[in-house]
Amino acid sequence: MYFAYGEQALSYLRKKDKRLCEVIDRIGHIDRTVDPDLFSSVLHHIIGQQISTKAQATIWQRVQDALGTVNSEAILAAGVPSLQALGMTFRKAAYITDFAERVHTGAFDLDAVAHMSDEAAIRALSSLKGIGVWTAEMILRFCQRQIVKDFLIKFTKIYKKGARSTVWLLTPRLIDYIFPFSRSLQRYA
């Protein structure tokens, strides 16, 4: 599934910076994958921490192949040793199992997160083992469809020509300052 965005967001970005406009015009439309399922998004992000994108994709595919439906029941039935055998560390497997247990028992309400403010959602997600503030923000971007913030990061990567360390210094507060209308576009599902 890809996030649908319109000319309004692109037009605003083009007007904001001449060089950014050139990049947008050169690159054109970007298909941005979103994961509407918060449970699998949290798992996917835990798996992907501190490893390459390719390694993350490989492990995620193994999880899907082994479990079929990726939900709390399947994770709990598999257990830590089986998850670890799919290529993730013991600690990541434990974090994922703990998260699945919290969802299964109702201690963590996935549906409530979708309706929280950004700050409350980040607090809720970062209360999970293995999820810090940065990862919670990434989950919101990729699962909750924060398109304007993603545009800035994506185009800044291209604009800075690979200076990734600079890109990740962009915080949601800074992005909201640059794009004052982003609150109305960033989270709806």
Side-chain angles (χ1 to χ4, degrees):
M1 169 190 246
Y2 295 105
F3 187 85
Y5 60 90
E7 189 57 37
Q8 179 188 7
L10 289 175
S11 177
Y12 184 86
L13 292 171
R14 283 184 181 107
K15 290 176 187 173
K16 204 67 179 166
D17 184 284
K18 183 180 176 181
R19 290 181 286 183
L20 184 59
C21 176
E22 292 169 6
V23 171
I24 292 170
D25 290 341
R26 187 176 75 228
I27 301 301
H29 181 85
I30 294 176
D31 285 328
R32 178 181 176 261
T33 304
V34 294
D35 182 357
D37 177 41
L38 183 57
F39 184 83
S40 67
S41 187
V42 169
L43 267 59
H44 197 252
H45 280 80
I46 291 173
I47 290 169
Q49 292 175 350
Q50 305 297 314
I51 62 175
S52 71
T53 304
K54 186 170 182 165
Q56 178 187 32
T58 299
I59 294 169
W60 182 244
Q61 188 60 54
R62 289 177 189 161
V63 169
Q64 291 177 309
D65 292 345
L67 302 181
T69 302
V70 180
N71 58 30
S72 60
E73 293 81 13
I75 294 293
L76 293 172
V80 172
S82 294
L83 293 173
Q84 190 177 4
L86 299 173
M88 66 186 81
T89 65
F90 173 81
R91 188 173 303 267
K92 287 181 184 183
Y95 291 162
I96 287 170
T97 304
D98 181 72
F99 171 59
E101 180 67 30
R102 291 182 67 183
V103 169
H104 186 70
T105 62
F108 189 86
D109 186 354
L110 292 169
D111 294 328
V113 174
H115 303 290
M116 293 177 180
S117 68
D118 287 353
E119 293 77 19
I122 289 167
R123 274 193 308 277
L125 289 167
S126 62
S127 74
L128 300 169
K129 291 180 182 179
I131 302 291
V133 171
W134 186 86
T135 302
E137 290 172 352
M138 293 300 107
I139 290 168
L140 290 181
R141 286 189 185 111
F142 290 99
C143 184
Q144 301 293 336
R145 307 174 187 191
Q146 293 187 353
I147 187 62
V148 174
K149 293 177 183 182
D150 183 71
F151 260 87
L152 180 64
I153 289 170
K154 193 135 224 172
F155 285 122
T156 304
K157 278 184 182 179
I158 295 163
Y159 178 67
K160 298 284 186 183
K161 297 182 181 166
R164 291 184 183 163
S165 60
T166 303
V167 172
W168 299 122
L169 293 175
L170 296 170
T171 65
R173 278 188 219 105
L174 175 61
I175 295 167
D176 287 340
Y177 173 76
I178 295 167
F179 299 108
F181 72 96
S182 68
R183 286 268 169 230
S184 63
L185 296 176
Q186 65 188 332
R187 289 184 64 213
Y188 51 92

